[in-house]
């Protein structure tokens, strides 16, 4: 594949990522944000009594100090919120989802360029759907099964770094094992046939990732025991739905864009005219 074609596919992939990101943002705002607001409100309501008790103790200590010094105590200053919740749920969410969509769209388009013609005689649309499905499975679904998403202000804040590291480690491991499975499948294809080699490689991926899920430590403090299970389930379903929509939309949109780019290339490679690819007779001059 020519460098100019790969560059064009990269641009098309980023465009598809933007459109898919907009759709994912709309779903995340409508479905995901209410559960986040509910979890934050729940956390604030549970922490309010503790703050009131601390405030009363602090006021008593300040009163004693002012009596001893003979001067009134200064009122405690509240910390200002740098980014308000409305900004987080609109501009912040949109920025994060769009950047995520553009980045993964560009990476997925490069993976598409590598896979095209190497995973069977699939058309560009089918190859794009296959790449999008594989990316959703390896990058999100499998890591999600081990470390599912949790709403903010739910888990122990002291272990956020550890939990984030484990999640990205699971993503890296899933992608690495998937790449090895694809290479192994191609090596086994001449001896076993395409179908048997694909089943063997897929089974190997499932076995290795199942062992990884068993051996890697669990996030035991990711969710408090008092957090409502229904609200947690609602948030996780919303998170899964947003990712599924993102990758489904990307696969469909990028597949259509890629086919428009590669159609002339396919016709030239086969030594046929445009009518052989489109199924329509070529227009005659005059």
């Amino acid at each position: 594949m020519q460098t100019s074609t790969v560059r064009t596919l990269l641009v098309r992939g980023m465009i598809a990522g933007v459109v898919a990101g907009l759709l994912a943002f709309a779903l995340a705002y409508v479905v995901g944000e209410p559960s986040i607001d509910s979890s934050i409100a729940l956390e604030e309501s549970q922490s309010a009594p503790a703050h009131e008790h601390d405030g009363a103790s602090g006021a008593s200590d300040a009163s004693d100090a002012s009596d001893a010094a003979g001067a009134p105590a200064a009122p405690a200053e509240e910390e200002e919120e740098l980014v308000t919740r409305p900004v987080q749920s609109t501009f912040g969410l949109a920025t994060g989802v769009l950047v995520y969509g553009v980045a993964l769209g560009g990476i997925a388009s490069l993976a598409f360029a590598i896979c095209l013609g190497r995973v069977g005689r699939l058309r560009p649309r089918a190859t794009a759907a296959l790449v999008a499905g594989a990316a959703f499975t390896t990058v999100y679904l499998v890591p999600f099964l081990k470390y599912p998403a949790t709403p903010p202000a739910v888990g122990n804040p002291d272990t956020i770094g550890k939990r984030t590291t484990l999640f990205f480690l699971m993503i890296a491991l899933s992608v690495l094992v998937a790449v090895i499975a694809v290479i192994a499948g191609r090596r086994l294809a001449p001896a076993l046939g395409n179908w048997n080699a694909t089943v063997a490689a897929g089974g190997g991926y499932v076995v290795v990732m199942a062992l990884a899920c068993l051996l890697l430590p669990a996030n035991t403090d990711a969710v408090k025991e008092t957090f409502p299970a229904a609200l947690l389930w609602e948030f996780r379903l919303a998170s899964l739905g947003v990712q599924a929509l993102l990758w489904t939309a990307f696969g469909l949109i990028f597949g259509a864009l890629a086919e428009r780019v590669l159609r002339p290339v396919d016709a030239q490679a086969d030594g046929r005219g445009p009518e052989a690819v489109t199924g329509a007779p070529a227009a005659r001059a005059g």
Side-chain angles (χ1 to χ4, degrees):
M1 186 177 294
Q2 298 179 356
T3 304
S4 59
T5 303
V6 175
R7 187 185 306 112
T8 303
L9 289 174
L10 176 62
V11 175
R12 297 295 191 277
M14 297 173 71
I15 294 174
V18 170
V19 179
L22 289 173
L23 296 175
F25 162 72
L27 182 63
Y29 182 78
V30 173
V31 177
E33 285 302 313
S35 59
I36 295 178
D37 291 336
S38 299
S39 64
I40 293 176
L42 180 64
E43 178 68 15
E44 290 177 350
S45 64
Q46 292 178 350
S47 61
H51 286 310
E52 290 176 359
H53 180 270
D54 294 341
S57 300
S60 177
D61 294 341
S63 177
D64 294 342
S66 63
D67 291 340
E77 294 183 359
E78 295 183 359
E79 295 182 0
E80 287 190 11
E81 193 175 10
L82 296 179
V83 181
T84 62
R85 177 63 189 144
V87 174
Q88 293 176 2
S89 61
T90 52
F91 295 105
L93 177 62
T95 301
V97 174
L98 289 177
V99 171
Y100 180 81
V102 170
L104 292 187
I107 296 173
S109 65
L110 295 179
F112 168 87
I114 296 173
C115 294
L116 187 64
R118 294 182 173 89
V119 290
R121 299 180 62 84
L122 298 177
R123 301 296 297 174
R125 287 177 184 265
T127 304
L130 180 64
V131 170
F136 168 71
T137 302
T138 57
V139 176
Y140 185 79
L141 182 59
V142 172
F144 177 87
L145 295 177
K146 175 61 178 178
Y147 301 117
T150 56
V154 170
N156 185 358
D158 296 333
T159 61
I160 290 179
K162 175 186 175 182
R163 287 184 275 133
T164 303
T165 301
L166 288 174
F167 181 72
F168 281 103
L169 175 62
M170 191 68 179
I171 293 177
L173 183 62
S174 177
V175 173
L176 177 62
V177 174
V179 172
I180 295 175
V182 171
I183 296 174
R186 292 195 61 197
R187 297 287 179 87
L188 294 173
L192 302 180
N194 291 333
W195 175 257
N196 292 332
T198 301
V199 172
Y205 171 82
V206 172
V207 170
V208 172
M209 295 312 301
L211 290 175
C213 290
L214 292 175
L215 296 176
L216 288 176
N219 284 336
T220 56
D221 57 350
V223 181
K224 297 178 181 179
E225 296 181 357
T226 57
F227 192 81
L231 182 57
L232 179 63
W233 181 246
E234 178 184 344
F235 174 82
R236 288 177 173 174
L237 280 181
S239 176
L240 186 62
V242 168
Q243 289 289 331
L245 175 61
L246 175 69
W247 285 109
T248 301
F250 172 79
L252 296 175
I253 297 170
F254 178 69
L257 296 176
E259 191 162 278
R260 291 174 63 89
V261 173
L262 297 172
R263 185 176 295 167
V265 176
D266 291 342
Q268 294 176 5
D270 295 340
R272 301 174 296 173
E275 66 277 5
V277 178
T278 61
R284 296 183 179 180

